Each structure stands twice: as C-alpha cells, then as structure tokens.
Amino acid sequence: MEQWINPRVKEIQISGIRQFFNRVSAYPDAISLTLGLPDFPTPEHVKEAGKTAIDENKTTYTHNAGSIELRNAIGRFVKEKYNLDYETENEIIATSGASEAIDISLRTILVEGDEVILPGPVYPGYEPVIRLCGAKPVHVDTRETEFKLTASLIEKNMTDRTKCVILPYPSNPTGMTLSHDERKEIAHLLKDTNVFVLSDEIYSELTYDQAHQSIATYEGMREKTIVINGLSKSHSMTGWRIGFLLGDADITQHILKVHQYNVTCVSSITQSAAVEALTNGKDDAKPMREIYEQRLGYTYSRLQDMGLGIHKPGGAFYLFPSIKKYGMKSWDFATQLLEEEKLAVVPGIAFSDYGDDYIRISYAYHQDQLKEGLDRLERFLNRLEK
Ligand SMILES: Cc1ncc(COP(=O)(O)O)c(C=O)c1O
C-alpha cells in the first residue's frame, strides 16, 4: 500500500537531530551533548499542581484554546515579561508544545506555491510542515551575518509569492539573537507588506546579554505576526507538551479551527501545571538561566581555546562552532567523533545545507558531563590536526 501514501509525506524525513540521537543509543558509554532539553527537573510546585489536577478530577476537555485560567495566565505573563497585549477571549491559544503551534499556524496560512523565507542554518521543525502544505521553503544563507536573518537578506529573497518569514530568535542551533536595530529594520521592511511573520520565541526566557523583545511589539507588526512560545525550555517542561501562540483575532480565529481538529485541547492536567508555572513560577527560568550562562562561558572559552571559529550566542543553550578547517562534512565528523571518542554532538547538516560546516553542541548538560565531553572533543581535534 505504500505507493498510495501522500507523496509529500513520503518525501519528508525524520529530523537529523533524532536520526543522529538514535545512532548514539548504540554506544552506551557515549557522552551526549546533543539534545535541546533542559537537564533540570520541572520545578516541584509545578509538578504538584499537575498532581493536584488529577486528584481534583480536572481531567476533562477544556475550551479548545485552553482554560480561561490558563489563557489569562499566558496573557499576564507575556504582558509583564515582554509588554505584549493579547485578549484572553480570542487571541491566545494553548498548544501541544511549540511544535503544534508552528504546525497549525503554517497550515492556516500556507497554500500551494507559497514561499516561506527562513534562516539557514535553522531548527528543523519548520521545513517539513511547509512542504506538507505544498509551499516552498526558501532558506537564506546567514553564515556571513553571524547567523542572523537580517532585513537586507529578507528583502533580497522576497518575491511576489512570499507568504511568510520565519524569525526564530534566540536561535536553535546557533544561539544568536537579534538586536533592537536589527528587529526594527525587519519591522520597517515588512510592516506594509502582505507577509506574515512567524516569530518563534521559545527561548525568550533564556537570553544572556539583553532582555528579549518580541518583533510583535514593533509598529505595524502585531497585525501580521504570530508569536510562538511555550514552557518546554523556560520551565523544563518538554514532556508535558505545552506551548502557546499569540496573534491578532483575525488570524487566531482561523488557527483555532485547525487546532480543534488536530488535538481538541492541550491535556487538562498539563494546563493546570502551566497555570502554576506562569503565575507562581513566572521567574522559574532565572536560576536555570544563571547556570546556563556559567556553562556558556566555560564551553565558549574551551571551544575558542581549541581554535574553532565560533560566534558568542546571546541566548538558548547551544553553541555552533565551525569545523570547516578539517575539510570534513558534518555528518562524517560527528560519526567519527562518536566512534573514536564516544562523544555525540549534532552534525550541522541537520539544520539545512548551510549548517554542514558546523556542529551543534548543547550545554544543557551537567558541568561534569560538559567537561568530559569537551576533553574528548579536544583529544579528537588534536588527532585530526596531526
Ligand atoms: C526553535 C524551536 N522551536 C520549537 C521547538 C519545539 O518546542 P516544543 O518542545 O515546545 O514543541 C524547539 C525545540 O527544540 C525549538 O528549538
């Protein structure tokens, strides 16, 4: 029956991150610096709220967009943290992770033949959805702009088919974020066009040198921007599957239909835990961020000492050093590193062709594991250089 499967589905692949991670399981003594998930447990009070929800039988369907309590909590959180104003009633949708928010947003706006501009290298969660819609991903080479999708790069790649620009910052896999001037220029370019902006701000609570500011706060941008965010990274809740999206009611009323027929609503137990996280735990990311920042300093200087070309990230928990000087493709480099030194990192090709001269190192790992992993990398590089 396989021949009858939708050809667009047949063409997409399991992400390179997962493919590589699955290979790592064949090396039980390997150290992994691959995954983008916090190594801290979900805060205790948030877990308690989930348990209480079960005990109190809060185990039924909720409103499709999420309970009123949750949407109020999201609205208050984004107002206080990022000065974003969205109506509980019709401009906030709780989703099953940021992943679902990305999926339903793109499926709501894209039709066959549309073009979507996105940076390269980039998180691999967008391209397959774009392709499933019959639209075309237009990856823009950001290697010369410190991995930033700038206004001038967007302008050069815009055509009359451009429907959407995806703006993920701080970025996975590079950790780079956008400055006020860079955001302003993008807003200036796009505000009077018919182009949507999908602003993936899932790492907004994990910025190091400047506070996060959403592109939706710039003049003329609220009407056209769908803000994606969630609690996976900020509250170490990856397994709870909780994200949210914010948008003008003109857009969200349509996204809500796609969401309804997709998941009906987010798990009610998760929703109760998320209310606690966004209210009593609104600053839960802070102690984690402080630890990530120390690890960033350590990992960055170790990689610099190893002589790897690298930009200092402004957020998230990834570093994206260049391996170009070794003349190896990233998949071969990562495979050899795994086989010889039992260290797993993600080959940059997992983040589009523009990532093939790089590897992604996640520092969402304990300091001891980071040190051991970096020692192994150093040994490996010393051998390559001989
Ligand atoms: C940029 C980016 N967006 C979205 C996601 C998906 O987040 P979630 O686990 O909440 O679906 C990730 C996960 O790594 C990510 O890095």
Side-chain angles (χ1 to χ4, degrees):
M1 288 301 285
E2 204 196 349
Q3 59 181 311
W4 305 113
I5 301 281
N6 178 345
R8 285 182 189 157
V9 177
K10 279 208 254 180
E11 270 163 30
I12 63 173
Q13 306 289 330
I14 294 291
S15 93
I17 307 180
R18 282 283 158 186
Q19 282 184 36
F20 201 79
F21 185 70
N22 294 343
R23 291 189 65 175
V24 176
S25 53
Y27 297 81
D29 51 346
I31 292 237
S32 172
L33 302 180
T34 53
L35 284 187
L37 63 93
D39 60 320
F40 303 100
T42 302
E44 217 44 55
H45 67 112
V46 176
K47 294 199 283 196
E48 282 308 319
K51 291 179 205 168
T52 307
I54 298 175
D55 290 340
E56 291 180 354
N57 295 316
K58 291 187 178 159
T59 52
T60 58
Y61 296 131
T62 66
H63 186 291
N64 293 129
S67 70
I68 283 283
E69 294 76 20
L70 177 56
R71 283 178 287 144
N72 277 335
I74 294 170
R76 278 196 303 268
F77 181 83
V78 297
K79 173 71 187 163
E80 184 182 326
K81 298 267 178 179
Y82 312 119
N83 200 24
L84 289 165
D85 280 300
Y86 289 93
E87 299 274 331
T88 297
E89 203 45 56
N90 51 10
E91 295 188 320
I92 298 173
I93 302 176
T95 57
S96 290
S99 307
E100 196 228 344
I102 292 165
D103 175 57
I104 58 178
S105 300
L106 291 174
R107 284 199 289 136
T108 299
I109 60 179
L110 296 181
V111 295
E112 182 129 9
D114 284 344
E115 291 178 0
V116 179
I117 293 178
L118 67 172
V122 70
Y123 170 67
Y126 315 110
E127 176 173 348
V129 184
I130 297 167
R131 291 201 186 279
L132 285 176
C133 295
K136 182 176 157 205
V138 179
H139 285 101
V140 174
D141 184 356
T142 59
R143 289 173 298 181
E144 297 302 319
T145 52
E146 299 186 338
F147 303 123
K148 295 175 183 200
L149 185 55
T150 61
S152 92
L153 286 177
I154 295 172
E155 193 170 19
K156 277 192 202 119
N157 286 277
M158 264 167 66
T159 70
D160 53 7
R161 299 194 145 191
T162 305
K163 175 66 82 65
C164 177
V165 173
I166 297 185
L167 212 55
Y169 69 98
S171 148
N172 172 9
T174 69
M176 301 312 280
T177 192
L178 298 171
S179 69
H180 168 69
D181 286 348
E182 288 158 344
R183 292 185 298 255
K184 204 169 142 195
E185 284 173 23
I186 294 172
H188 185 70
L189 172 72
L190 295 179
K191 70 182 170 58
D192 297 321
T193 63
N194 296 329
V195 174
F196 288 98
V197 174
L198 191 80
S199 188
D200 185 344
E201 305 180 16
I202 185 87
Y203 295 100
S204 60
E205 283 292 281
L206 301 178
T207 58
Y208 304 119
D209 44 12
Q210 53 165 323
H212 180 81
Q213 193 179 347
S214 175
I215 191 84
T217 58
Y218 287 74
E219 194 209 325
M221 293 304 285
R222 189 186 186 283
E223 298 72 25
K224 52 178 54 236
T225 302
I226 303 167
V227 177
I228 307 284
N229 212 320
L231 279 67
S232 294
K233 317 289 173 171
S234 60
H235 289 76
S236 193
M237 291 180 75
T238 50
W240 294 78
R241 309 310 300 134
I242 177 71
F244 54 86
L245 66 83
L246 314 165
D248 196 273
D250 281 355
I251 310 174
T252 49
Q253 61 170 316
H254 296 291
I255 300 181
L256 186 60
K257 294 179 277 183
V258 185
H259 170 73
Q260 169 176 13
Y261 295 115
N262 202 10
V263 299
T264 304
C265 64
V266 173
S267 147
S268 59
I269 299 151
T270 291
Q271 289 193 42
S272 294
V275 171
E276 174 67 18
L278 291 165
T279 51
N280 296 324
K282 66 181 160 49
D283 295 320
D284 280 355
K286 194 163 174 272
M288 297 189 245
R289 180 173 60 225
E290 284 165 6
I291 294 173
Y292 291 136
E293 195 167 5
Q294 288 165 13
R295 293 179 187 167
L296 167 62
Y298 170 75
T299 314
Y300 178 70
S301 70
R302 288 280 318 257
L303 294 172
Q304 269 193 320
D305 291 347
M306 290 178 213
L308 295 175
I310 189 163
H311 295 294
K312 184 141 194 212
F317 35 55
Y318 310 104
L319 284 150
F320 205 60
S322 168
I323 52 159
K324 193 169 181 182
K325 66 177 177 178
Y326 301 103
M328 290 167 82
K329 293 283 163 209
S330 61
W331 191 274
D332 298 338
F333 182 97
T335 303
Q336 198 173 324
L337 178 60
L338 179 63
E339 284 170 357
E340 292 182 11
E341 284 293 342
K342 311 285 181 293
L343 170 65
V345 297
V346 182
I349 187 79
F351 308 99
S352 87
D353 290 348
Y354 295 125
D356 210 8
D357 287 334
Y358 305 84
I359 53 171
R360 188 189 78 174
I361 293 176
S362 164
Y363 52 90
Y365 288 94
H366 191 275
Q367 177 71 21
D368 297 344
Q369 191 166 337
L370 265 181
K371 181 182 177 311
E372 175 60 26
L374 291 165
D375 289 349
R376 292 181 185 198
L377 178 64
E378 191 166 11
R379 254 193 333 254
F380 180 70
L381 297 181
N382 285 341
R383 266 204 314 281
L384 285 183
E385 273 165 24
K386 272 193 191 135

